[in-house]
Amino acid sequence: MTDLKERIAAQLTAVRDRSLAYTAAEDDLLVRQHSPLMSPLVWDLAHVGNYEELWVLRAAAGITPLRPEIDDIYDAFKTPRRDRPSLPFLRPAEARDYIGGVRGRVLDVLDAVDLADPSPLRRDGFVFGLVIQHEHQHDETMLATLQLAGRPGVVRDGDLPPSLSAGPEEVYVPAGEFLMGTDSLPWAYDNERPAHRVDLPAYWIDRLPVGNAAYAAFIEDGGYHDARWWTPEGWRWRQENGVFAPLFWTREGGTWWRTRFGRTEPVPMDEPVQHVCWYEADAYARWAGKRLPTEAEWEKACGWDAAAGRARPYPWGEQDPTPELANLGHRAARPAPLGAYPGGASPYGAEQMVGDVWEWTATWFDGYPGFRAFPYREYSEVFFGREYRVLRGGSWAADPAAVRTTFRNWDYPIRRQIFTGFRCARTAAPEER
Ligand SMILES: [Fe+2]
């Protein structure tokens, strides 16, 4: 096997081990719906296998369908999450059998395939990258479900580096063009393409994500009770839902507590805030006298190397993520303290842009100029418009295989169960330029 094939095989195994570990639970936990926002866990499990069958076995290798009768059950577009408990989905033992059978054939296809084949699905192993990233994204979704279910002990709560860096509150990004998106990263999704020049005026962006201490100050200053900081939609959402703090936070005895995978603990004030929706992030930013960064501002601050005139795949450069550079890959069931990764800083000095928490941006999810759907419209294109806001950077529950400077995620502005925080930005004043 070539190096690339070996890397693909290792990544397929690693992600499957994780999916199986997160679903190594009693059947009742797996078939139940823990929140109308989420699928039953066993649906996610068989869905990743079905997706792998559709794309690797059928589309790329032309193999006859194994279980065509279950395709509709696992088509995310046919049944919204809230209705999935009523589907005749495979029970846990059958689901494990099915995905194992698919995987065996996928490894045979990998063995035989020519990765230099010009077919866009096979070239550079694109279709394998597609299913690997897809399964990682579902593992993160499963973790959000397990957090909502209050399930303890899912992720080992490993050690993370302490806060190491000191520095300014904001970093400066001078005016100028940069190259947004990519034409060259082989496993990048259609929505990250094509690379295109974007010209931005000068701005400041927070060196670090907004922390729990700063967010608690917003709450204590009456931020949730002051319509001035909120958009009209955000204010309506806040009032209708009686929200007064991030999801999973409670106040008792003068202390903020949070519940994390079934355990209640004091909110660690030195961590990035997580489980806030776009409306909360946007309101905080206005209260702080700033705003959310646009998606372009976020990407430039994360990866643009002005001296070299090119974009970096990661803020620190070309090197793959390591535990010293970023908090990715489920190493601990939480974000790392603010300032834990000075070595992971971007060329402009922004830190923790990759890992820890997904970061809300001000931008609606849309196609870049020249966008072409590949391999199917339902991956990205059907979500374009003014319904979803872009999230960037990946969380502690994202895997390095599905995180890079150009990677785009999106969700409804009301979503809080995802591992999401934010940082603020502001346009540079004329005298600051
Ligand atoms: Fe999916």
Side-chain angles (χ1 to χ4, degrees), residues 99-112:
I99 68 169
V102 171
R103 177 52 64 85
R105 288 169 175 83
V106 165
L107 292 174
D108 292 343
V109 170
L110 176 63
D111 213 20

Side-chain angles (χ1 to χ4, degrees), residues 4-347:
L4 178 57
K5 284 192 179 183
E6 271 167 27
R7 262 203 333 270
I8 291 169
Q11 291 204 30
L12 284 166
T13 303
V15 68
R16 181 55 50 82
D17 286 351
R18 191 179 279 159
S19 307
L20 292 173
Y22 291 170
T23 52
E26 60 280 12
D27 283 10
D28 179 57
L29 183 99
L30 302 179
V31 301
R32 219 168 355 114
Q33 188 175 47
H34 301 280
S35 155
L37 298 176
M38 312 306 281
S39 317
L41 289 160
V42 73
W43 184 94
D44 284 291
L45 185 67
H47 164 79
V48 299
N50 184 247
Y51 189 85
E52 203 166 293
E53 193 198 334
L54 289 177
W55 288 102
V56 179
L57 300 190
R58 298 191 211 166
I63 291 172
T64 319
L66 303 177
R67 303 270 313 250
E69 78 284 3
I70 64 171
D71 288 353
D72 279 359
I73 300 172
Y74 295 107
D75 183 336
F77 284 88
K78 296 233 159 96
T79 317
R81 283 182 181 175
R82 66 173 175 277
D83 298 332
R84 288 180 194 161
S86 62
L87 289 170
F89 52 77
L90 303 183
R91 300 295 110 175
E94 212 185 341
R96 290 184 195 108
D97 263 13
Y98 166 63
I99 68 169
V102 171
R103 177 52 64 85
R105 288 169 175 83
V106 165
L107 292 174
D108 292 343
V109 170
L110 176 63
D111 213 20
V113 76
D114 174 9
L115 297 179
D117 182 323
S119 134
L121 275 182
R122 293 191 285 267
R123 188 176 51 219
D124 299 323
F126 177 85
V127 75
F128 298 98
L130 181 73
V131 302
I132 289 166
Q133 293 180 82
H134 177 252
E135 188 162 346
H136 279 303
Q137 289 168 287
H138 275 275
D139 284 355
E140 184 167 1
T141 302
M142 287 186 200
L143 274 190
T145 305
L146 290 159
Q147 160 69 0
L148 284 163
R151 179 82 171 177
V154 187
V155 183
R156 71 199 156 91
D157 211 3
D159 289 333
L160 293 168
S163 182
L164 297 164
S165 76
E169 181 187 324
E170 303 169 301
V171 300
Y172 182 66
V173 182
E177 274 195 349
F178 83 108
L179 205 56
M180 186 171 186
T182 179
D183 294 325
S184 56
L185 295 173
W187 287 5
Y189 284 120
D190 58 359
N191 64 50
E192 297 166 66
R193 302 166 188 271
H196 56 289
R197 300 229 154 240
V198 176
D199 195 7
L200 294 176
Y203 61 97
W204 296 83
I205 190 163
D206 290 352
R207 182 171 60 94
L208 297 166
V210 170
N212 287 327
Y215 200 83
F218 165 65
I219 303 174
E220 275 139 40
D221 194 43
Y224 278 86
H225 301 282
D226 192 337
R228 268 184 306 166
W229 312 129
W230 300 75
T231 59
E233 303 77 36
W235 186 242
R236 207 174 317 122
W237 168 85
R238 198 223 66 81
Q239 289 188 299
E240 281 171 13
N241 295 280
V243 170
F244 62 91
L247 188 60
F248 307 118
W249 282 34
T250 51
R251 180 92 174 160
E252 222 184 284
T255 303
W256 285 110
W257 299 81
R258 73 171 176 192
T259 304
R260 189 167 61 91
F261 295 95
R263 259 187 36 215
T264 300
E265 60 194 9
V267 169
M269 288 298 161
D270 62 347
E271 277 180 19
V273 68
Q274 68 172 351
H275 298 302
V276 289
C277 75
W278 188 90
Y279 293 132
E280 292 167 292
D282 175 69
Y284 173 96
R286 206 166 287 111
W287 170 81
K290 303 185 191 180
R291 55 178 174 75
L292 292 178
T294 64
E295 183 183 15
E297 287 172 337
W298 192 98
E299 186 168 321
K300 185 179 179 185
C302 178
W304 184 241
D305 183 345
R310 64 166 186 267
R312 297 177 168 185
Y314 302 104
W316 53 84
E318 309 275 329
Q319 189 195 334
D320 284 343
T322 65
E324 290 73 41
L325 292 169
N327 179 17
L328 288 164
H330 310 219
R331 257 191 293 280
R334 61 186 192 280
L338 294 167
Y341 301 101
S346 79

